Amino acid sequence: MKALDDLLAQTEFTDEEVARILRIRTPEEADLLQRRAYDLTTREMGPNVYLRGLIEISNVCTANCRYCGIRKANHNVERYTLPRETILECARLALENGYGSIAIQAGERRDPKWVTFIGELLRDIHEMSCTEALPQGLGITLSLGEQSLEVYEYWAEASGNPDGLRYLLRIESSNPELFHRLHCTPGKHEKVLEHRYEALVNLRKAGYQVGTGVMIGLPGQTIEDLVQDIRTFEKVGADMIGMGPYLTSLGADMVSLGQMPHDDLLQLSLNMIAATRLVLRNVNIAAATALETLEPRGRIMGILHGCNVVMPNITPQMTRASYQLYDNKAGTEVGAESNILVENDIVRIAHRTLGLNRLGSSLRWVERTGRPAN
Ligand code: SAM
């Protein structure tokens, strides 16, 4: 036990040491890891948890990722794209609740009509959200998949708030073979890992705070893969991390491969969050909805293990059921009251403060750009 205590106090870790952390299973060791990751988060990031109102603006998707319930080949999903006015209302709701930032997520589309729709939307959100409480306007995290450098630049310019601009593009897995298995549909090789890396470089060039992440517990994934995932987060210079457990989806193409047993998957996910905090230190880490789906109050457990960002779902109720990336997705049935509950739990259970009316940018980004913390 003493040895683990010493290990967790280190500032640098070998691959074997990261693997040792990811393998933690006993309640005593798990408890120690949780406390160390939480305390380090307080020291590096302060006591705030930042809220990003999540708006799932469309489930139309041109990709066929094998794990995903809204993949193009799933014809049992009713497809939707929220009208501009509805998205603006959601953004207004975030602003009124003091969220400081929103996250805009959708399936993957690259057609000019979509690119322009997003550009104009970003302009409108900025114009609407520059207020006394938030003079720079709402911070915005985009999660709209792989696009060209020109598109990333166009959207960055349209957003009007260079200090509150982020993009989340998960690499899903840094293991090239596993990545290929996840993204190959019969006869067609869809996403390519190298393109994901190029997109991350382009996002940095276009001035975004760059976020990436992986799914945890994928069929065929090893502890060594997860260690390399963390190394990859370091290599690509990630400012923020969004990752969560892999959950099966009936509408996807991997049901027969199964899902890790609940307790193993939960512990591994929490270990991965804590290990990422210990290795990367001052990045923003978001507690994923998938963690909440796996376990009630999963996001609060994530915060206790090193997360400092939560993305309450503020998508209108009527379309939530159609954004089923995986089965029984948390928050599909419940509305605003679940967001109030999570805010209360952040304070009451995780003993954090809410970073209201703050952009809550990554301190890693502050360090690398010299921009003021916001
Ligand atoms: N299209 C964008 C992209 O590919 O980056 C963003 C939307 S995509 C639906 C958002 C994330 O959902 C993916 O990066 C993936 O990690 C996650 N996801 C999809 N299916 C999942 C599943 N079955 N279990 C857990 N996470 C899943």
Side-chain angles (χ1 to χ4, degrees), residues 58-63 65-71 104-109 142-147 167-173 183 191 196 213-216 218 242-250 252 254 259 288-291 323-327:
S58 173
N59 65 354
V60 177
C61 193
T62 57
C65 308
R66 293 188 58 213
Y67 42 82
C68 186
I70 61 165
R71 67 202 300 262
I104 292 180
Q105 196 180 76
E108 200 143 319
R109 272 180 68 179
L142 297 177
S143 179
L144 302 172
E146 286 168 47
Q147 307 287 342
Y167 205 105
L168 177 64
L169 186 82
R170 289 184 178 179
I171 52 163
E172 316 295 0
S173 169
H183 297 104
K191 285 186 184 161
R196 259 358 226 183
V214 294
M215 281 174 285
I216 303 156
L218 285 160
M243 58 188 172
Y246 161 72
L247 305 171
T248 52
S249 165
L250 284 176
M254 284 174 46
Q259 185 184 304
T289 310
L291 198 54
Y323 205 84
Q324 285 282 346
L325 306 182
Y326 35 79
D327 299 336

Short mmCIF file of all heavy atoms in Angstrom, two decimals, residues 58-63 65-71 104-109 142-147 167-173 183 191 196 213-216 218 242-250 252 254 259 288-291 323-327, ligand 1:
data_model
loop_
_atom_site.label_atom_id
_atom_site.label_comp_id
_atom_site.label_asym_id
_atom_site.label_seq_id
_atom_site.Cartn_x
_atom_site.Cartn_y
_atom_site.Cartn_z
N SER A 58 -28.03 17.50 -34.25
CA SER A 58 -28.49 16.66 -35.36
C SER A 58 -27.93 15.25 -35.20
O SER A 58 -26.80 15.06 -34.75
CB SER A 58 -28.00 17.24 -36.69
OG SER A 58 -28.31 16.36 -37.74
N ASN A 59 -28.75 14.26 -35.59
CA ASN A 59 -28.23 12.88 -35.58
C ASN A 59 -28.03 12.36 -37.01
O ASN A 59 -27.84 11.17 -37.21
CB ASN A 59 -29.17 11.94 -34.79
CG ASN A 59 -30.52 11.80 -35.45
OD1 ASN A 59 -30.80 12.46 -36.44
ND2 ASN A 59 -31.35 10.91 -34.91
N VAL A 60 -28.07 13.27 -37.98
CA VAL A 60 -27.78 12.87 -39.36
C VAL A 60 -26.28 12.61 -39.44
O VAL A 60 -25.48 13.42 -38.98
CB VAL A 60 -28.18 14.00 -40.35
CG1 VAL A 60 -27.81 13.61 -41.77
CG2 VAL A 60 -29.66 14.29 -40.22
N CYS A 61 -25.91 11.45 -39.99
CA CYS A 61 -24.50 11.09 -40.00
C CYS A 61 -24.14 10.35 -41.29
O CYS A 61 -24.90 9.51 -41.76
CB CYS A 61 -24.18 10.21 -38.79
SG CYS A 61 -22.40 10.03 -38.56
N THR A 62 -22.97 10.70 -41.83
CA THR A 62 -22.53 10.05 -43.07
C THR A 62 -21.56 8.90 -42.76
O THR A 62 -21.12 8.21 -43.67
CB THR A 62 -21.82 11.06 -43.98
OG1 THR A 62 -20.73 11.63 -43.24
CG2 THR A 62 -22.75 12.16 -44.44
N ALA A 63 -21.22 8.72 -41.49
CA ALA A 63 -20.23 7.70 -41.12
C ALA A 63 -20.92 6.43 -40.63
O ALA A 63 -22.10 6.45 -40.27
CB ALA A 63 -19.30 8.25 -40.05
N CYS A 65 -19.50 4.25 -38.06
CA CYS A 65 -18.70 3.75 -36.94
C CYS A 65 -19.44 2.56 -36.33
O CYS A 65 -20.63 2.67 -35.98
CB CYS A 65 -18.49 4.85 -35.92
SG CYS A 65 -17.84 6.36 -36.66
N ARG A 66 -18.75 1.45 -36.16
CA ARG A 66 -19.44 0.19 -35.83
C ARG A 66 -20.05 0.18 -34.44
O ARG A 66 -20.94 -0.60 -34.15
CB ARG A 66 -18.46 -0.99 -36.00
CG ARG A 66 -18.08 -1.20 -37.45
CD ARG A 66 -17.28 -2.46 -37.61
NE ARG A 66 -18.01 -3.63 -37.14
CZ ARG A 66 -17.45 -4.69 -36.59
NH1 ARG A 66 -16.14 -4.73 -36.41
NH2 ARG A 66 -18.18 -5.70 -36.20
N TYR A 67 -19.56 1.05 -33.55
CA TYR A 67 -20.03 1.05 -32.16
C TYR A 67 -21.23 1.97 -31.95
O TYR A 67 -21.84 1.96 -30.90
CB TYR A 67 -18.88 1.54 -31.24
CG TYR A 67 -18.14 2.72 -31.81
CD1 TYR A 67 -18.61 4.02 -31.68
CD2 TYR A 67 -16.96 2.54 -32.55
CE1 TYR A 67 -17.95 5.09 -32.24
CE2 TYR A 67 -16.29 3.61 -33.13
CZ TYR A 67 -16.79 4.87 -32.97
OH TYR A 67 -16.14 5.94 -33.55
N CYS A 68 -21.55 2.79 -32.95
CA CYS A 68 -22.42 3.93 -32.70
C CYS A 68 -23.86 3.70 -33.15
O CYS A 68 -24.11 3.25 -34.28
CB CYS A 68 -21.84 5.16 -33.41
SG CYS A 68 -22.76 6.67 -33.02
N GLY A 69 -24.80 4.06 -32.29
CA GLY A 69 -26.23 3.85 -32.55
C GLY A 69 -26.80 4.78 -33.61
O GLY A 69 -27.88 4.53 -34.13
N ILE A 70 -26.11 5.90 -33.92
CA ILE A 70 -26.66 6.78 -34.96
C ILE A 70 -25.87 6.65 -36.27
O ILE A 70 -25.92 7.53 -37.13
CB ILE A 70 -26.75 8.26 -34.50
CG1 ILE A 70 -25.37 8.84 -34.15
CG2 ILE A 70 -27.70 8.40 -33.32
CD1 ILE A 70 -25.38 10.38 -34.03
N ARG A 71 -25.16 5.52 -36.43
CA ARG A 71 -24.43 5.29 -37.68
C ARG A 71 -25.39 5.32 -38.85
O ARG A 71 -26.58 4.98 -38.71
CB ARG A 71 -23.67 3.97 -37.60
CG ARG A 71 -24.57 2.74 -37.56
CD ARG A 71 -23.85 1.56 -36.98
NE ARG A 71 -22.68 1.20 -37.75
CZ ARG A 71 -22.64 0.23 -38.66
NH1 ARG A 71 -23.72 -0.47 -38.94
NH2 ARG A 71 -21.53 -0.05 -39.30
N ILE A 104 -21.74 21.84 -28.74
CA ILE A 104 -22.61 21.54 -29.87
C ILE A 104 -22.13 20.25 -30.53
O ILE A 104 -21.00 20.18 -31.02
CB ILE A 104 -22.57 22.70 -30.89
CG1 ILE A 104 -23.23 23.95 -30.27
CG2 ILE A 104 -23.26 22.33 -32.19
CD1 ILE A 104 -23.23 25.16 -31.18
N GLN A 105 -22.99 19.24 -30.50
CA GLN A 105 -22.56 17.94 -31.04
C GLN A 105 -23.54 17.45 -32.10
O GLN A 105 -24.74 17.73 -32.03
CB GLN A 105 -22.46 16.91 -29.92
CG GLN A 105 -21.65 15.70 -30.37
CD GLN A 105 -21.52 14.66 -29.26
OE1 GLN A 105 -22.45 13.93 -28.98
NE2 GLN A 105 -20.37 14.61 -28.64
N ALA A 106 -23.02 16.71 -33.06
CA ALA A 106 -23.88 16.14 -34.12
C ALA A 106 -23.14 14.98 -34.78
O ALA A 106 -21.95 14.76 -34.53
CB ALA A 106 -24.20 17.20 -35.17
N GLY A 107 -23.85 14.27 -35.63
CA GLY A 107 -23.21 13.27 -36.48
C GLY A 107 -22.28 13.98 -37.45
O GLY A 107 -22.14 15.21 -37.42
N GLU A 108 -21.66 13.20 -38.32
CA GLU A 108 -20.62 13.78 -39.17
C GLU A 108 -21.17 14.14 -40.55
O GLU A 108 -21.67 13.28 -41.26
CB GLU A 108 -19.48 12.77 -39.30
CG GLU A 108 -18.22 13.41 -39.72
CD GLU A 108 -17.01 12.78 -39.03
OE1 GLU A 108 -17.07 12.48 -37.83
OE2 GLU A 108 -16.02 12.57 -39.75
N ARG A 109 -21.07 15.42 -40.90
CA ARG A 109 -21.47 15.90 -42.22
C ARG A 109 -20.45 16.90 -42.70
O ARG A 109 -19.96 17.70 -41.90
CB ARG A 109 -22.83 16.61 -42.12
CG ARG A 109 -24.01 15.72 -42.24
CD ARG A 109 -25.29 16.54 -42.11
NE ARG A 109 -25.51 17.46 -43.24
CZ ARG A 109 -26.59 18.25 -43.31
NH1 ARG A 109 -27.50 18.23 -42.37
NH2 ARG A 109 -26.75 19.07 -44.35
N LEU A 142 -17.20 22.63 -30.03
CA LEU A 142 -17.81 21.95 -31.16
C LEU A 142 -17.39 20.49 -31.15
O LEU A 142 -16.24 20.16 -30.80
CB LEU A 142 -17.38 22.59 -32.48
CG LEU A 142 -17.81 24.05 -32.69
CD1 LEU A 142 -17.25 24.59 -34.00
CD2 LEU A 142 -19.32 24.16 -32.68
N SER A 143 -18.31 19.62 -31.50
CA SER A 143 -17.96 18.19 -31.66
C SER A 143 -18.68 17.73 -32.91
O SER A 143 -19.76 17.13 -32.86
CB SER A 143 -18.41 17.43 -30.40
OG SER A 143 -18.10 16.05 -30.54
N LEU A 144 -18.09 18.05 -34.04
CA LEU A 144 -18.74 17.86 -35.33
C LEU A 144 -17.85 17.06 -36.28
O LEU A 144 -17.97 17.17 -37.52
CB LEU A 144 -19.10 19.23 -35.94
CG LEU A 144 -20.02 20.11 -35.08
CD1 LEU A 144 -20.15 21.51 -35.67
CD2 LEU A 144 -21.40 19.48 -34.93
N GLY A 145 -16.92 16.31 -35.71
CA GLY A 145 -16.13 15.37 -36.50
C GLY A 145 -15.04 15.99 -37.34
O GLY A 145 -14.65 17.15 -37.13
N GLU A 146 -14.54 15.17 -38.28
CA GLU A 146 -13.40 15.59 -39.11
C GLU A 146 -13.87 16.55 -40.19
O GLU A 146 -14.81 16.25 -40.92
CB GLU A 146 -12.78 14.37 -39.79
CG GLU A 146 -11.98 13.50 -38.87
CD GLU A 146 -11.63 12.18 -39.52
OE1 GLU A 146 -11.18 12.17 -40.68
OE2 GLU A 146 -11.85 11.14 -38.88
N GLN A 147 -13.17 17.69 -40.28
CA GLN A 147 -13.44 18.69 -41.32
C GLN A 147 -12.10 19.16 -41.85
O GLN A 147 -11.05 18.87 -41.27
CB GLN A 147 -14.22 19.88 -40.72
CG GLN A 147 -15.48 19.53 -39.95
CD GLN A 147 -16.64 19.08 -40.83
OE1 GLN A 147 -16.64 19.34 -42.04
NE2 GLN A 147 -17.63 18.39 -40.25
N TYR A 167 -12.74 22.35 -29.46
CA TYR A 167 -13.25 21.30 -30.36
C TYR A 167 -12.89 19.95 -29.75
O TYR A 167 -11.75 19.72 -29.36
CB TYR A 167 -12.59 21.44 -31.73
CG TYR A 167 -13.42 20.86 -32.87
CD1 TYR A 167 -14.10 21.70 -33.74
CD2 TYR A 167 -13.52 19.48 -33.07
CE1 TYR A 167 -14.86 21.18 -34.79
CE2 TYR A 167 -14.28 18.97 -34.11
CZ TYR A 167 -14.94 19.83 -34.97
OH TYR A 167 -15.69 19.32 -36.01
N LEU A 168 -13.90 19.10 -29.67
CA LEU A 168 -13.67 17.75 -29.14
C LEU A 168 -13.72 16.74 -30.28
O LEU A 168 -14.75 16.59 -30.94
CB LEU A 168 -14.72 17.43 -28.08
CG LEU A 168 -14.65 16.01 -27.49
CD1 LEU A 168 -13.35 15.80 -26.73
CD2 LEU A 168 -15.83 15.77 -26.53
N LEU A 169 -12.60 16.10 -30.53
CA LEU A 169 -12.53 15.08 -31.57
C LEU A 169 -11.80 13.86 -30.98
O LEU A 169 -10.57 13.85 -30.89
CB LEU A 169 -11.75 15.62 -32.78
CG LEU A 169 -11.72 14.70 -33.99
CD1 LEU A 169 -13.01 14.85 -34.80
CD2 LEU A 169 -10.54 15.00 -34.89
N ARG A 170 -12.57 12.89 -30.57
CA ARG A 170 -11.94 11.71 -29.95
C ARG A 170 -11.19 10.90 -30.99
O ARG A 170 -11.67 10.76 -32.13
CB ARG A 170 -13.01 10.82 -29.33
CG ARG A 170 -13.67 11.39 -28.09
CD ARG A 170 -14.62 10.35 -27.53
NE ARG A 170 -15.27 10.77 -26.32
CZ ARG A 170 -16.16 10.03 -25.67
NH1 ARG A 170 -16.51 8.84 -26.14
NH2 ARG A 170 -16.71 10.45 -24.55
N ILE A 171 -10.05 10.34 -30.58
CA ILE A 171 -9.37 9.40 -31.49
C ILE A 171 -9.98 8.00 -31.32
O ILE A 171 -9.65 7.09 -32.05
CB ILE A 171 -7.84 9.35 -31.24
CG1 ILE A 171 -7.53 9.12 -29.76
CG2 ILE A 171 -7.16 10.60 -31.78
CD1 ILE A 171 -6.12 8.66 -29.49
N GLU A 172 -10.83 7.82 -30.33
CA GLU A 172 -11.56 6.58 -30.04
C GLU A 172 -10.66 5.46 -29.53
O GLU A 172 -10.96 4.82 -28.55
CB GLU A 172 -12.38 6.08 -31.25
CG GLU A 172 -13.17 7.16 -31.99
CD GLU A 172 -14.28 7.83 -31.18
OE1 GLU A 172 -14.47 7.49 -30.02
OE2 GLU A 172 -14.94 8.74 -31.74
N SER A 173 -9.51 5.22 -30.20
CA SER A 173 -8.47 4.32 -29.70
C SER A 173 -7.19 4.64 -30.45
O SER A 173 -7.23 4.90 -31.66
CB SER A 173 -8.83 2.85 -29.95
OG SER A 173 -7.68 2.05 -29.69
N HIS A 183 -13.87 0.92 -37.32
CA HIS A 183 -14.32 1.84 -38.37
C HIS A 183 -14.36 1.22 -39.75
O HIS A 183 -14.38 1.94 -40.74
CB HIS A 183 -13.45 3.11 -38.35
CG HIS A 183 -13.56 3.86 -37.07
ND1 HIS A 183 -12.60 3.83 -36.11
CD2 HIS A 183 -14.56 4.63 -36.56
CE1 HIS A 183 -12.98 4.58 -35.07
NE2 HIS A 183 -14.17 5.07 -35.32
N LYS A 191 -13.32 5.60 -41.34
CA LYS A 191 -12.42 6.57 -40.74
C LYS A 191 -11.01 6.00 -40.68
O LYS A 191 -10.84 4.80 -40.46
CB LYS A 191 -12.90 6.92 -39.34
CG LYS A 191 -14.10 7.82 -39.36
CD LYS A 191 -14.46 8.26 -37.97
CE LYS A 191 -15.72 9.08 -37.99
NZ LYS A 191 -16.35 9.17 -36.69
N ARG A 196 -7.53 11.43 -38.30
CA ARG A 196 -7.94 11.98 -36.99
C ARG A 196 -6.81 12.84 -36.42
O ARG A 196 -7.02 13.93 -35.94
CB ARG A 196 -8.16 10.84 -36.03
CG ARG A 196 -9.48 10.23 -35.60
CD ARG A 196 -10.75 10.68 -36.02
NE ARG A 196 -11.75 10.83 -34.97
CZ ARG A 196 -13.01 11.19 -35.21
NH1 ARG A 196 -13.45 11.42 -36.41
NH2 ARG A 196 -13.85 11.34 -34.23
N GLY A 213 -10.06 12.08 -26.93
CA GLY A 213 -10.41 11.07 -25.93
C GLY A 213 -10.63 9.73 -26.59
O GLY A 213 -10.45 9.58 -27.81
N VAL A 214 -11.01 8.76 -25.79
CA VAL A 214 -11.19 7.38 -26.27
C VAL A 214 -12.40 6.77 -25.58
O VAL A 214 -12.92 7.31 -24.62
CB VAL A 214 -9.94 6.51 -25.94
CG1 VAL A 214 -8.72 6.99 -26.71
CG2 VAL A 214 -9.66 6.49 -24.44
N MET A 215 -12.81 5.62 -26.10
CA MET A 215 -13.79 4.81 -25.37
C MET A 215 -13.01 3.78 -24.54
O MET A 215 -11.98 3.27 -24.98
CB MET A 215 -14.74 4.13 -26.34
CG MET A 215 -15.81 5.07 -26.84
SD MET A 215 -16.84 4.32 -28.10
CE MET A 215 -15.74 4.35 -29.48
N ILE A 216 -13.54 3.52 -23.38
CA ILE A 216 -12.85 2.64 -22.42
C ILE A 216 -13.61 1.32 -22.34
O ILE A 216 -14.84 1.32 -22.21
CB ILE A 216 -12.83 3.33 -21.03
CG1 ILE A 216 -12.15 4.70 -21.13
CG2 ILE A 216 -12.14 2.44 -19.98
CD1 ILE A 216 -12.55 5.68 -20.03
N LEU A 218 -13.44 -1.14 -24.74
CA LEU A 218 -13.84 -1.63 -26.07
C LEU A 218 -13.49 -3.11 -26.21
O LEU A 218 -12.46 -3.56 -25.69
CB LEU A 218 -13.07 -0.85 -27.15
CG LEU A 218 -13.53 0.59 -27.43
CD1 LEU A 218 -12.42 1.37 -28.12
CD2 LEU A 218 -14.80 0.56 -28.27
N GLY A 242 -12.18 14.13 -23.25
CA GLY A 242 -13.54 13.65 -23.03
C GLY A 242 -13.54 12.16 -23.33
O GLY A 242 -13.28 11.74 -24.46
N MET A 243 -13.76 11.36 -22.32
CA MET A 243 -13.74 9.91 -22.56
C MET A 243 -14.74 9.23 -21.65
O MET A 243 -15.11 9.75 -20.59
CB MET A 243 -12.34 9.33 -22.36
CG MET A 243 -11.79 9.57 -20.99
SD MET A 243 -10.07 9.09 -20.88
CE MET A 243 -9.71 9.71 -19.26
N GLY A 244 -15.19 8.06 -22.07
CA GLY A 244 -16.17 7.35 -21.26
C GLY A 244 -16.18 5.89 -21.63
O GLY A 244 -15.51 5.47 -22.58
N PRO A 245 -16.96 5.11 -20.87
CA PRO A 245 -17.01 3.67 -21.14
C PRO A 245 -17.68 3.37 -22.47
O PRO A 245 -18.59 4.10 -22.89
CB PRO A 245 -17.87 3.14 -19.99
CG PRO A 245 -18.68 4.30 -19.53
CD PRO A 245 -17.83 5.51 -19.76
N TYR A 246 -17.21 2.32 -23.13
CA TYR A 246 -17.92 1.83 -24.32
C TYR A 246 -19.14 1.04 -23.85
O TYR A 246 -19.03 0.16 -23.00
CB TYR A 246 -17.01 0.92 -25.17
CG TYR A 246 -17.82 0.06 -26.11
CD1 TYR A 246 -18.45 0.63 -27.21
CD2 TYR A 246 -18.02 -1.30 -25.86
CE1 TYR A 246 -19.25 -0.14 -28.05
CE2 TYR A 246 -18.81 -2.07 -26.69
CZ TYR A 246 -19.43 -1.49 -27.78
OH TYR A 246 -20.23 -2.24 -28.59
N LEU A 247 -20.30 1.39 -24.41
CA LEU A 247 -21.55 0.70 -24.07
C LEU A 247 -22.15 0.14 -25.36
O LEU A 247 -22.09 0.81 -26.40
CB LEU A 247 -22.54 1.68 -23.43
CG LEU A 247 -22.01 2.43 -22.19
CD1 LEU A 247 -22.98 3.54 -21.78
CD2 LEU A 247 -21.79 1.47 -21.03
N THR A 248 -22.76 -1.03 -25.29
CA THR A 248 -23.30 -1.60 -26.53
C THR A 248 -24.54 -0.83 -26.97
O THR A 248 -25.24 -0.22 -26.17
CB THR A 248 -23.73 -3.08 -26.36
OG1 THR A 248 -24.56 -3.17 -25.24
CG2 THR A 248 -22.54 -3.99 -26.25
N SER A 249 -24.77 -0.90 -28.26
CA SER A 249 -25.93 -0.25 -28.85
C SER A 249 -26.57 -1.22 -29.83
O SER A 249 -25.89 -1.73 -30.72
CB SER A 249 -25.49 1.02 -29.58
OG SER A 249 -26.54 1.45 -30.42
N LEU A 250 -27.87 -1.46 -29.66
CA LEU A 250 -28.57 -2.38 -30.56
C LEU A 250 -28.56 -1.90 -32.00
O LEU A 250 -28.55 -2.69 -32.93
CB LEU A 250 -30.02 -2.58 -30.09
CG LEU A 250 -30.19 -3.48 -28.87
CD1 LEU A 250 -31.65 -3.51 -28.44
CD2 LEU A 250 -29.66 -4.88 -29.14
N ALA A 252 -26.15 -0.46 -33.43
CA ALA A 252 -24.79 -0.46 -33.97
C ALA A 252 -24.44 -1.84 -34.53
O ALA A 252 -25.31 -2.69 -34.71
CB ALA A 252 -23.82 -0.03 -32.89
N MET A 254 -21.89 -3.97 -33.26
CA MET A 254 -20.92 -4.68 -32.41
C MET A 254 -21.60 -5.40 -31.25
O MET A 254 -20.92 -5.81 -30.32
CB MET A 254 -19.90 -3.67 -31.85
CG MET A 254 -18.88 -3.24 -32.88
SD MET A 254 -17.76 -1.93 -32.35
CE MET A 254 -17.24 -2.40 -30.74
N GLN A 259 -20.12 -6.48 -23.93
CA GLN A 259 -19.66 -5.31 -23.16
C GLN A 259 -19.00 -5.82 -21.89
O GLN A 259 -19.42 -6.85 -21.34
CB GLN A 259 -20.90 -4.46 -22.84
CG GLN A 259 -20.62 -3.16 -22.14
CD GLN A 259 -21.92 -2.43 -21.79
OE1 GLN A 259 -22.74 -2.17 -22.65
NE2 GLN A 259 -22.10 -2.13 -20.52
N ALA A 288 -18.31 12.01 -18.69
CA ALA A 288 -19.16 11.69 -19.85
C ALA A 288 -20.55 11.19 -19.45
O ALA A 288 -20.72 10.58 -18.40
CB ALA A 288 -18.47 10.62 -20.69
N THR A 289 -21.51 11.44 -20.34
CA THR A 289 -22.87 10.92 -20.15
C THR A 289 -22.84 9.38 -20.11
O THR A 289 -23.63 8.77 -19.40
CB THR A 289 -23.78 11.37 -21.32
OG1 THR A 289 -23.63 12.78 -21.48
CG2 THR A 289 -25.23 11.06 -21.06
N ALA A 290 -21.92 8.78 -20.86
CA ALA A 290 -21.84 7.31 -20.89
C ALA A 290 -21.55 6.76 -19.48
O ALA A 290 -22.01 5.67 -19.12
CB ALA A 290 -20.78 6.85 -21.88
N LEU A 291 -20.80 7.52 -18.69
CA LEU A 291 -20.49 7.08 -17.32
C LEU A 291 -21.75 7.11 -16.46
O LEU A 291 -21.98 6.23 -15.63
CB LEU A 291 -19.42 8.01 -16.75
CG LEU A 291 -18.62 7.56 -15.54
CD1 LEU A 291 -17.97 6.21 -15.76
CD2 LEU A 291 -17.55 8.60 -15.20
N TYR A 323 -31.12 10.50 -30.27
CA TYR A 323 -29.65 10.63 -30.21
C TYR A 323 -29.10 9.51 -29.31
O TYR A 323 -28.41 9.75 -28.34
CB TYR A 323 -29.24 12.02 -29.71
CG TYR A 323 -27.86 12.43 -30.16
CD1 TYR A 323 -27.65 13.01 -31.41
CD2 TYR A 323 -26.75 12.23 -29.35
CE1 TYR A 323 -26.38 13.38 -31.84
CE2 TYR A 323 -25.47 12.59 -29.77
CZ TYR A 323 -25.30 13.18 -31.01
OH TYR A 323 -24.04 13.54 -31.43
N GLN A 324 -29.50 8.28 -29.64
CA GLN A 324 -29.09 7.11 -28.83
C GLN A 324 -27.79 6.55 -29.37
O GLN A 324 -27.79 5.65 -30.20
CB GLN A 324 -30.17 6.02 -28.89
CG GLN A 324 -31.41 6.31 -28.08
CD GLN A 324 -31.21 6.06 -26.59
OE1 GLN A 324 -30.24 5.43 -26.17
NE2 GLN A 324 -32.12 6.54 -25.78
N LEU A 325 -26.67 7.07 -28.87
CA LEU A 325 -25.38 6.55 -29.32
C LEU A 325 -25.21 5.12 -28.82
O LEU A 325 -24.57 4.29 -29.43
CB LEU A 325 -24.25 7.41 -28.75
CG LEU A 325 -24.33 8.91 -29.02
CD1 LEU A 325 -23.12 9.61 -28.44
CD2 LEU A 325 -24.44 9.18 -30.50
N TYR A 326 -25.81 4.85 -27.63
CA TYR A 326 -25.75 3.53 -27.02
C TYR A 326 -27.07 3.33 -26.29
O TYR A 326 -27.85 4.29 -26.12
CB TYR A 326 -24.56 3.41 -26.06
CG TYR A 326 -24.28 4.70 -25.33
CD1 TYR A 326 -25.04 5.09 -24.24
CD2 TYR A 326 -23.28 5.56 -25.78
CE1 TYR A 326 -24.82 6.29 -23.61
CE2 TYR A 326 -23.06 6.79 -25.14
CZ TYR A 326 -23.82 7.13 -24.06
OH TYR A 326 -23.61 8.33 -23.43
N ASP A 327 -27.35 2.10 -25.83
CA ASP A 327 -28.66 1.79 -25.26
C ASP A 327 -28.88 2.48 -23.91
O ASP A 327 -27.94 2.65 -23.13
CB ASP A 327 -28.81 0.26 -25.12
CG ASP A 327 -28.71 -0.42 -26.48
OD1 ASP A 327 -28.99 0.25 -27.49
OD2 ASP A 327 -28.33 -1.61 -26.53
N1 SAM B 1 -19.49 12.87 -35.16
C1 SAM B 1 -18.61 13.43 -34.19
C2 SAM B 1 -17.34 12.62 -34.07
O1 SAM B 1 -17.28 11.53 -34.62
O2 SAM B 1 -16.39 13.10 -33.44
C3 SAM B 1 -19.26 13.61 -32.83
C4 SAM B 1 -20.43 12.78 -32.49
S1 SAM B 1 -20.02 11.15 -31.97
C5 SAM B 1 -21.63 10.44 -31.89
C6 SAM B 1 -19.55 11.44 -30.28
C7 SAM B 1 -18.85 10.32 -29.55
O3 SAM B 1 -19.81 9.36 -29.14
C8 SAM B 1 -17.84 9.52 -30.31
O4 SAM B 1 -16.61 10.18 -30.35
C9 SAM B 1 -17.81 8.20 -29.53
O5 SAM B 1 -16.65 8.10 -28.73
C10 SAM B 1 -19.07 8.25 -28.68
N2 SAM B 1 -19.85 7.01 -28.82
C11 SAM B 1 -20.48 6.58 -29.91
N3 SAM B 1 -21.00 5.35 -29.71
C12 SAM B 1 -20.68 5.00 -28.44
C13 SAM B 1 -20.91 3.83 -27.63
N4 SAM B 1 -21.56 2.79 -28.12
N5 SAM B 1 -20.44 3.82 -26.36
C14 SAM B 1 -19.78 4.90 -25.87
N6 SAM B 1 -19.51 6.02 -26.59
C15 SAM B 1 -19.96 6.07 -27.86
#
